[in-house]
Amino acid sequence: MQGIGSKEQGTGRSLRLLAAAVLVCGALQAQQIDMGAKKPAGRDHVELLSDAVDVAAGKTQDVELRFRVDPGFHINSHTPMDEFLIPTKLTLDGAGVKVVSEEYPAGVKFKLPIGEGTILDVYQGEFRVMLRVVAPKGATTLSGMLRYQACDNAACFPPRTLGVKVTVNGR
Amino acid sequence: MVRRIAVLAAVFVVIGGLFWAGWYNHHQRQLAMQRVQDRITTLTKNSPEEANSGAPDGMGDTLKGKVAPGFTLVDLNGKKVSLAQFKGHPVVVNFWATWCGPCKLEMPWFEEMNQKYKDKGLVILGLSQDTGTDVAEIAKSAKKIGVTYEILQPDDNIAKLYGGVDYLPETFYVDGKGMIAVTSAGAPTKDEIEANVKKIL
């Protein structure tokens, strides 16, 4: 009886070990999948986060367009402090959704760490452009372009334009 | 007994799998980190020190030790200026733009080098990358920065000859024999600029 009990205990331990190993394997595999799913930073350095918004049809509504600048980079705000710097500007098509007004966020002060440096007015991380729109009933595409110019602490990339397409659902 | 052996065999297989998964995951992490590192060194220069650490990337770096591509451009007064006319002189070819903050911070240092090493024949050429910008605006910006050396009007074809110049500033230090001795991407420190200049004097 003792022999059988000890054999059963041994088998039980083995099964528990097997179960633990399977769980650990599963965890490792899950971590790996998570790594693979990370989106690499784009060369454009700015991305549009908004893709669809719901508004009341036929009424003037506030809509936020959310953008994100890659970590380590900045773009000039809509009102840079130097006349030669290129401001961030959104140009929207008039078709479909009527855009009544655009409001850009205030930039943050950023000192370029070169020599004595210079103070810039920039957007970093996430920033939001507020629009007042009147949308018809149903789904309409709000489209346009965001013009900006990105730099990091020591170098700048040429001015770029980012296509903007957001579905506005008028309900 | 057979059942016990089977269970033990299964345990060994799973433990083997566990080691394999661990190694594979570690390997993939190393590759992912390498890719991220490559991207950082390829596309961003987060500090002047990093910007000037090692050689710049891209095709521009492949020009180091080679003959500087020749060009003829037009200065802000409409006069033709070619690299060939400075044969025998050490020449700094600096790509910049009016919209580039780091460029405008390093340019006064090039002006300082221009004044300091003029007697040794040093020539500084500032190649504007402001395609489509009015010449008067480029001149206004150069004046505001305070540079007196030659500022040349943009021509995208010249940037292509120098490896595309994907971002600014990029600088090529050309010795008296017309060879590119040093390439630099991103704004370095003033001391690094002077050290590079001394290499071509």
Side-chain angles (χ1 to χ4, degrees):
Chain A
M1 282 294 281
Q2 271 183 342
I4 293 168
S6 134
K7 193 187 283 180
E8 280 176 349
Q9 276 176 0
T11 307
R13 270 201 304 275
S14 300
L15 284 171
R16 279 197 295 277
L17 190 59
L18 180 65
V22 166
L23 283 173
V24 174
C25 261
L28 280 171
Q29 203 61 24
Q31 201 176 17
Q32 187 186 321
I33 289 164
D34 180 50
M35 276 186 65
K38 279 183 184 169
K39 190 183 172 186
R43 199 179 166 95
D44 289 338
H45 307 302
V46 178
E47 64 176 321
L48 174 67
L49 299 176
S50 308
D51 55 3
V53 288
D54 293 340
V55 297
K59 293 179 180 175
T60 305
Q61 300 278 296
D62 290 336
V63 169
E64 272 184 352
L65 292 188
R66 294 166 56 227
F67 298 90
R68 183 166 56 209
V69 182
D70 282 350
F73 288 83
H74 59 263
I75 63 174
N76 297 312
S77 74
H78 184 60
T79 52
M81 297 167 82
D82 184 325
E83 62 179 309
F84 294 104
L85 298 183
I86 293 167
T88 295
K89 185 167 171 41
L90 186 64
T91 306
L92 295 165
D93 298 340
V97 179
K98 184 184 173 189
V99 180
V100 179
S101 66
E102 300 167 3
E103 190 183 328
Y104 294 86
V108 294
K109 298 290 178 281
F110 174 78
K111 187 177 181 182
L112 266 180
I114 301 166
E116 291 177 2
T118 189
I119 304 290
L120 305 174
D121 194 75
V122 304
Y123 298 143
Q124 289 176 306
E126 188 176 322
F127 69 95
R128 300 170 184 211
V129 179
M130 186 72 79
L131 305 177
R132 297 215 84 193
V133 302
V134 181
K137 197 164 186 179
T140 315
T141 303
L142 176 65
S143 60
M145 305 291 276
L146 182 81
R147 186 166 192 254
Y148 63 93
Q149 192 266 307
C151 299
D152 65 14
N153 287 353
C156 289
F157 292 80
R160 295 218 166 107
T161 50
L162 174 74
V164 172
K165 266 191 183 172
V166 178
T167 303
V168 180
N169 296 309
R171 296 183 191 280
Chain B
M1 185 65 181
V2 172
R3 189 177 166 193
R4 194 173 183 180
I5 289 170
V7 169
L8 284 172
V11 167
F12 280 121
V13 166
V14 170
I15 288 172
L18 187 63
F19 276 111
W20 177 83
W23 174 84
Y24 183 78
N25 198 14
H26 175 73
H27 183 63
Q28 289 300 311
R29 272 174 181 275
Q30 294 280 343
L31 286 176
M33 284 178 72
Q34 187 60 49
R35 279 196 295 271
V36 169
Q37 195 61 37
D38 288 348
R39 193 176 301 126
I40 289 168
T41 54
T42 301
L43 298 179
T44 76
K45 310 292 182 194
N46 289 327
S47 69
E49 291 74 23
E50 283 174 7
N52 209 38
S53 62
D57 48 270
M59 282 178 67
D61 185 41
T62 63
L63 291 173
K64 191 176 170 184
K66 294 182 179 171
V67 175
F71 56 80
T72 299
L73 288 166
V74 178
D75 73 8
L76 299 178
N77 299 314
K79 187 184 78 182
K80 281 187 177 178
V81 176
S82 69
L83 182 63
Q85 74 189 67
F86 301 111
K87 198 173 177 184
H89 288 262
V91 182
V92 174
V93 178
N94 173 241
F95 289 87
W96 73 287
T98 57
W99 42 259
C100 168
C103 302
K104 292 194 275 190
L105 283 173
E106 70 165 7
M107 285 169 77
W109 295 333
F110 283 124
E111 176 62 26
E112 211 176 308
M113 299 302 129
N114 186 38
Q115 299 301 331
K116 192 171 178 181
Y117 297 107
K118 198 187 283 180
D119 294 345
K120 294 194 174 183
L122 181 68
V123 174
I124 314 271
L125 299 175
L127 276 63
S128 165
Q129 298 301 289
D130 294 276
T131 305
T133 303
D134 195 79
V135 179
E137 284 294 295
I138 299 170
K140 190 177 168 187
S141 179
K143 189 178 177 186
K144 190 176 174 185
I145 297 164
V147 295
T148 61
Y149 55 78
E150 288 275 22
I151 296 294
L152 306 178
Q153 293 185 42
D155 182 338
D156 291 344
N157 291 323
I158 307 305
K160 282 177 193 161
L161 291 175
Y162 278 80
V165 189
D166 288 336
Y167 50 85
L168 298 172
E170 281 199 40
T171 307
F172 298 82
Y173 297 80
V174 183
D175 66 18
K177 293 174 186 168
M179 309 292 282
I180 295 175
V182 184
T183 61
S184 167
T189 63
K190 184 173 141 186
D191 288 347
E192 286 163 339
I193 284 178
E194 185 156 20
N196 289 337
V197 165
K198 283 179 175 173
K199 286 177 187 170
I200 56 169
L201 289 178

